Amino acid sequence: MIFFIMPIILFCVILNFYLFYIILNKYNLYTYVSDTLQFRFDFIQYAIAGIFFTFIFTCIMVIFKLNFIINPIKKLTNTATKIALGQYEKRIEFYEADEIGQLSHSFNLMASRLEETIKDLNDKKNKLYSILNSMDDGVIFVDTEKNIVLINPAAKEIFNVKGETKNRYILEVIRDSRIDELINNPDETPVEIIMHGEKERILQVKSISVSDYGTGNIIGVLLVIHDVTKIKALENMRSEFVANVSHELKTPLTSIKGFAETLKYVEDKETRDKFLDIIYVESERLSRLINDILTLSELENKDYAINFQKVCLNECITEVYYIMERISLEKNIRLSIDSCEEQLYIYGDRDKFKQMIINLVDNAIKYTPQNGEVYLKLEKYNNNARIEVRDTGIGISKKHLPRLFERFYRVDKARSRSMGGTGLGLAIVKHIVLMFKGDIYVDSEVNKGTTFTIILPLFENK
Amino acid sequence: MREHLDQQLTRLNHDLIKMGAMVETIIDKAVTSLKNQDLELAKEIYTEDDAIDEMELKIEKDCLNLIALQQPMAKDLRRIASALKIITDLERIGDHAVNIAKITLEIGNESLMKPLIDIPKMAEIAQNMIKLSLDAFVNQDIEIAKRAAEMDEEVDKLYDTVINEVFQYIQKDSKFLNQGIKLLFVGRYLERVADHTTNICERIIYMVTGERVEIN
């Protein structure tokens, strides 16, 4: 810059001195002062000429050198705008070592520092958001005015929140006065909130007052929401199971105990035989129940895969058919089998597989009235084995289907017991299917019949 | 000064939403306790209604202070006037929840004469109306308000069904008389809740547009 302006100024000064010198010499102003009109006129003429030449020269210089000044400033402005719009990687190219060059250099320095800082902040923010977004628990942070600062997707899902949430009043978004109460009294003890609505859900909400890391002032309240519906259901199921087991064990035991006790005083042979029969039937039931419970706990044990081998399904199904045929004939039910020609193999436990099919066929026979039919079908289905057990029995109404595979779940308690069921048959089936990594479906219509479909992955030679 | 008014109006808004949320919860609790015959839950309703009454007094006081000290105009004034009316309706809804809870406690563990079907349905619609009306208030959306107000008709229809059904039961056997009348009252309360909500919706429409509309 200075190398550009200095010559112009220097030239102007020299030019003016020179003009002045000419005038002084012409009128001999060193010796006397003339007041003639001619002098004034000449003086003005020279002065105007001087100014005119200086002006022209400056204009020429400026026009030639204009780009030299304007261009770097234009570049600077453009880059600054781009950086302001978020393109932090933009820099100015500079060559000159003058003031503009220095400015560009400092500007670039500032830009790279800015880029680093922003990148760092973004990284931190992204990490925080990724963590919050991938959490199962809901997290909501509200400021001291109870406006939402942050809410993660899990929390949005729990409270069914849609639309814009940022900086809105918490109750505008989640209209639940209990949440408001929790924000008013943040004391870090989890509070259970039951959400009524389409599906009842139990939430455990913890409210924590948050203070600023630096100043220590309270800046808001953090709510951590944990959906404990499933855990509660499991807890219930466990305690229900224990209660059921004790109840189921106790019923036959009570009969055995009672009849055995009475037997001591009974003389009559006929009554005695009747009592003994009852005791035998009940103890039979008890042992069946204990066997089933043992099977279940064995299935829950993770080491079951020890007995795994290649199992031919066609063989097993046929064996089951022969076992069950006798029972079906007793009840006058037609049992038919439809096995596919191709030999299908799975990798699993042969006995367990047979038990699973026997359980299903046994159930089908039990709940099918006389002269009914039970079909057993095996086929290949999309690289899986598909086994279907269909009956023309009494069927199961829709409301029971979701809980059908639960232990001790019975559609009709009295009937199931009178038929000698333990309430564990289908639970065992489900466990075995899961053990073989398969799926089981049930489809039923009351008074029409029930179809159980099992899909098992086929054995692959690896 | 104006900024101060804005702040106070926002706070008024928040308080009103809070009161709405409380009312929404209390109605939910009232109906759930009746349906499940949960007497503990029914007892909770009494204390919650007290909180709603307190809230009403507080908002009323705030509104009067705002009018006296800030001389609000046009939309602001309409908002304050609407708030004054809306809280009365909300408070009445809270009272109806208490009335329902009272009946729940009276019925106690006595088995219900029939599983409740239409009454929970009425309650669900009424609850939805309250929810929508608050949504309308929050978003200043008159379309939602209109939609909520129109749902009142469904509640009225269900109320008629409930009346007919209870009458049939009572005519069949006079032992249903006692409980039948109580259930009739529950229906009546829910119908009133829906009416109050319709009023709130009308208020919201007035608040936003400045036009008075009569729905139903």
Side-chain angles (χ1 to χ4, degrees):
Chain A
M1 261 310 275
I2 195 115
F3 303 107
F4 164 64
I5 294 172
M6 277 308 275
I8 302 177
I9 297 171
L10 209 67
F11 175 78
C12 292
V13 170
I14 292 169
L15 190 73
N16 280 317
F17 268 112
Y18 177 66
L19 287 172
F20 196 58
Y21 173 75
I22 293 173
I23 293 163
L24 287 183
N25 274 343
K26 189 171 179 186
Y27 296 100
N28 254 342
L29 285 178
Y30 296 112
T31 46
Y32 65 97
V33 177
S34 164
D35 57 353
T36 55
L37 212 67
Q38 184 60 38
F39 164 71
R40 276 193 203 159
F41 180 73
D42 277 5
F43 188 78
I44 289 166
Q45 226 178 10
Y46 277 108
I48 288 173
I51 290 168
F52 180 73
F53 279 120
T54 314
F55 178 72
I56 294 287
F57 187 77
T58 315
C59 280
I60 292 167
M61 287 297 279
V62 165
I63 285 165
F64 275 109
K65 286 284 183 175
L66 198 62
N67 288 340
F68 184 76
I69 303 177
I70 299 263
N71 274 353
I73 293 178
K74 264 190 186 164
K75 265 190 199 164
L76 207 63
T77 318
N78 274 342
T79 317
T81 317
K82 275 179 187 158
I83 289 178
L85 289 175
Q87 296 175 320
Y88 298 106
E89 72 285 348
K90 291 280 169 209
R91 294 288 179 276
I92 301 167
E93 291 166 15
F94 67 100
Y95 310 105
E96 311 293 327
D98 56 7
E99 283 82 354
I100 296 228
Q102 277 170 13
L103 179 64
S104 316
H105 183 73
S106 319
F107 185 85
N108 280 351
L109 208 66
M110 185 191 76
S112 34
R113 286 298 293 274
L114 199 65
E115 190 188 359
E116 254 172 54
T117 321
I118 298 254
K119 212 179 134 205
D120 204 36
L121 281 176
N122 266 344
D123 260 12
K124 275 185 188 155
K125 200 179 94 182
N126 281 345
K127 262 183 210 151
L128 184 72
Y129 273 84
S130 329
I131 292 171
L132 282 173
N133 287 0
S134 55
M135 268 172 81
D136 277 345
D137 288 356
V139 175
I140 302 173
F141 180 60
V142 294
D143 61 15
T144 44
E145 296 289 310
K146 292 186 198 166
N147 292 326
I148 294 177
V149 178
L150 185 151
I151 178 166
N152 75 343
K156 279 188 181 176
E157 206 189 308
I158 289 173
F159 293 109
N160 196 15
V161 174
K162 290 184 191 91
E164 184 57 41
T165 52
K166 203 153 171 72
N167 248 332
R168 284 180 67 186
Y169 183 52
I170 178 91
L171 283 182
E172 272 182 32
V173 178
I174 301 164
R175 229 167 10 255
D176 196 311
S177 48
R178 291 168 294 185
I179 294 290
D180 185 60
E181 233 163 79
L182 276 169
I183 295 171
N184 288 339
N185 316 302
D187 61 356
E188 300 194 17
T189 39
V191 176
E192 250 171 43
I193 289 183
I194 299 171
M195 302 284 287
H196 305 291
E198 279 169 42
K199 246 166 72 185
E200 193 181 274
R201 275 172 317 149
I202 305 165
L203 305 178
Q204 221 175 48
V205 185
K206 207 171 173 185
S207 58
I208 305 151
S209 96
V210 179
S211 42
D212 188 90
Y213 188 67
T215 58
N217 296 333
I218 286 175
I219 50 168
V221 177
L222 186 71
L223 293 172
V224 182
I225 303 124
H226 188 50
D227 192 340
V228 291
T229 319
K230 275 190 187 149
I231 296 170
K232 286 272 163 185
L234 273 179
E235 265 174 30
N236 279 346
M237 230 162 92
R238 195 169 301 148
S239 60
E240 235 173 65
F241 177 67
V242 173
N244 274 327
V245 166
S246 0
H247 177 74
E248 298 286 336
L249 288 174
K250 222 175 147 188
T251 323
L253 207 59
T254 317
S255 318
I256 293 172
K257 205 176 143 195
F259 283 106
E261 206 179 359
T262 330
L263 209 56
K264 280 201 267 182
Y265 310 102
V266 173
E267 303 283 321
D268 178 20
K269 185 175 182 295
E270 202 179 317
T271 323
R272 202 139 115 200
D273 282 355
K274 206 172 119 196
F275 279 18
L276 282 172
D277 269 351
I278 294 173
I279 290 177
Y280 177 72
V281 169
E282 289 297 312
S283 54
E284 186 82 327
R285 188 147 83 101
L286 200 60
S287 79
R288 239 192 346 259
L289 186 66
I290 289 169
N291 271 340
D292 275 359
I293 293 173
L294 283 178
T295 314
L296 258 186
S297 71
E298 191 191 338
L299 287 174
E300 281 182 352
N301 199 343
K302 297 288 170 218
D303 297 335
Y304 47 65
I306 294 170
N307 294 329
F308 270 28
Q309 52 180 339
K310 200 171 153 190
V311 179
C312 175
L313 299 187
N314 309 55
E315 264 175 38
C316 288
I317 294 261
T318 317
E319 277 170 34
V320 171
Y321 171 71
Y322 285 126
I323 296 170
M324 301 310 289
E325 198 186 19
R326 197 174 48 84
I327 305 172
S328 67
L329 282 176
E330 274 172 22
K331 232 190 130 183
N332 206 6
I333 287 170
R334 210 163 64 98
L335 177 65
S336 46
I337 178 166
D338 180 8
S339 182
C340 68
E341 281 175 16
E342 191 188 341
Q343 298 278 317
L344 299 178
Y345 294 95
I346 61 158
Y347 185 65
D349 186 322
R350 190 187 165 90
D351 289 341
K352 292 280 180 292
F353 177 76
K354 269 168 75 179
Q355 187 181 7
M356 170 174 87
I357 304 298
I358 289 174
N359 276 1
L360 285 178
V361 176
D362 190 45
N363 267 357
I365 292 173
K366 249 186 230 166
Y367 293 108
T368 303
Q370 285 204 348
N371 301 322
E373 279 173 272
V374 175
Y375 304 94
L376 182 55
K377 189 177 174 189
L378 170 70
E379 62 181 354
K380 194 174 172 183
Y381 176 77
N382 288 351
N383 263 339
N384 287 317
R386 184 178 138 128
I387 301 145
E388 203 177 281
V389 179
R390 185 152 44 95
D391 64 45
T392 55
I394 52 173
I396 307 160
S397 80
K398 283 265 180 302
K399 66 174 179 188
H400 295 296
L401 292 182
R403 297 190 62 190
L404 203 61
F405 295 101
E406 274 177 33
R407 300 157 185 176
F408 295 119
Y409 188 81
R410 290 186 165 110
V411 174
D412 183 336
K413 284 195 178 168
R415 189 184 56 211
S416 156
R417 254 189 222 129
S418 72
M419 284 180 173
T422 55
L424 291 172
L426 284 180
I428 291 174
V429 169
K430 172 99 188 183
H431 266 93
I432 296 174
V433 170
L434 289 181
M435 187 169 109
F436 294 162
K437 298 191 170 55
D439 272 317
I440 182 161
Y441 307 99
V442 55
D443 186 26
S444 183
E445 206 174 318
V446 176
N447 291 330
K448 286 266 177 69
T450 309
T451 310
F452 284 94
T453 312
I454 296 173
I455 308 276
L456 295 177
L458 286 175
F459 178 74
E460 289 160 26
N461 281 316
K462 282 168 202 161
Chain B
M1 205 57 175
R2 281 289 119 175
E3 206 187 341
H4 193 52
L5 174 66
D6 273 353
Q7 270 177 8
Q8 282 183 331
L9 278 175
T10 314
R11 199 166 316 136
L12 176 69
N13 231 6
H14 289 182
D15 279 346
L16 208 59
I17 292 166
K18 191 173 162 185
M19 189 170 168
M22 286 160 95
V23 168
E24 217 179 294
T25 321
I26 204 174
I27 278 286
D28 183 42
K29 277 189 178 173
V31 177
T32 316
S33 65
L34 176 71
K35 207 164 46 180
N36 303 338
Q37 297 199 297
D38 186 341
L39 303 184
E40 286 305 310
L41 195 66
K43 279 175 197 153
E44 272 177 37
I45 290 171
Y46 282 85
T47 43
E48 270 181 44
D49 183 54
D50 289 344
I52 291 179
D53 292 351
E54 261 170 45
M55 199 75 195
E56 190 207 0
L57 292 180
K58 180 183 177 281
I59 295 176
E60 190 186 333
K61 203 176 120 202
D62 288 349
C63 286
L64 292 178
N65 274 344
L66 267 173
I67 296 173
L69 300 176
Q70 303 275 6
Q71 278 100 44
M73 297 208 240
K75 204 174 174 193
D76 294 342
L77 183 61
R78 276 210 305 276
R79 170 180 292 239
I80 295 168
S82 302
L84 273 172
K85 293 207 116 188
I86 288 174
I87 53 171
T88 325
D89 282 320
L90 285 176
E91 192 268 335
R92 288 301 299 157
I93 295 175
D95 287 349
H96 287 312
V98 172
N99 290 335
I100 294 172
K102 229 180 251 171
I103 287 178
T104 308
L105 289 175
E106 273 170 22
I107 293 177
N109 287 323
E110 192 182 310
S111 61
L112 292 173
M113 63 187 202
K114 72 175 211 69
L116 300 181
I117 298 166
D118 286 327
I119 287 181
K121 228 187 260 172
M122 273 177 86
E124 197 182 308
I125 299 174
Q127 253 170 289
N128 249 336
M129 282 173 72
I130 300 176
K131 208 180 168 67
L132 282 180
S133 69
L134 286 175
D135 279 341
F137 179 79
V138 167
N139 303 322
Q140 306 270 306
D141 187 335
I142 57 167
E143 286 310 312
I144 300 180
K146 277 181 191 158
R147 213 170 64 210
E150 275 158 14
M151 283 160 80
D152 185 44
E153 251 171 69
E154 286 175 56
V155 177
D156 288 347
K157 261 184 215 154
L158 278 172
Y159 180 47
D160 288 341
T161 327
V162 170
I163 293 176
N164 283 333
E165 209 175 353
V166 171
F167 275 180
Q168 275 172 16
Y169 267 89
I170 293 175
Q171 273 165 0
K172 242 188 282 170
D173 194 336
S174 60
K175 75 173 179 201
F176 293 131
L177 190 66
N178 207 348
Q179 211 179 79
I181 289 176
K182 280 175 190 156
L183 290 183
L184 272 187
F185 269 117
V186 173
R188 172 85 188 143
Y189 295 143
L190 287 173
E191 194 264 336
R192 292 303 303 155
V193 167
D195 287 348
H196 283 299
T197 317
T198 314
N199 282 351
I200 292 175
C201 292
E202 285 169 6
R203 281 288 127 198
I204 292 167
I205 295 172
Y206 172 67
M207 184 175 92
V208 178
T209 62
E211 279 166 36
R212 277 170 209 287
V213 283
E214 195 66 44
I215 300 169
N216 303 326

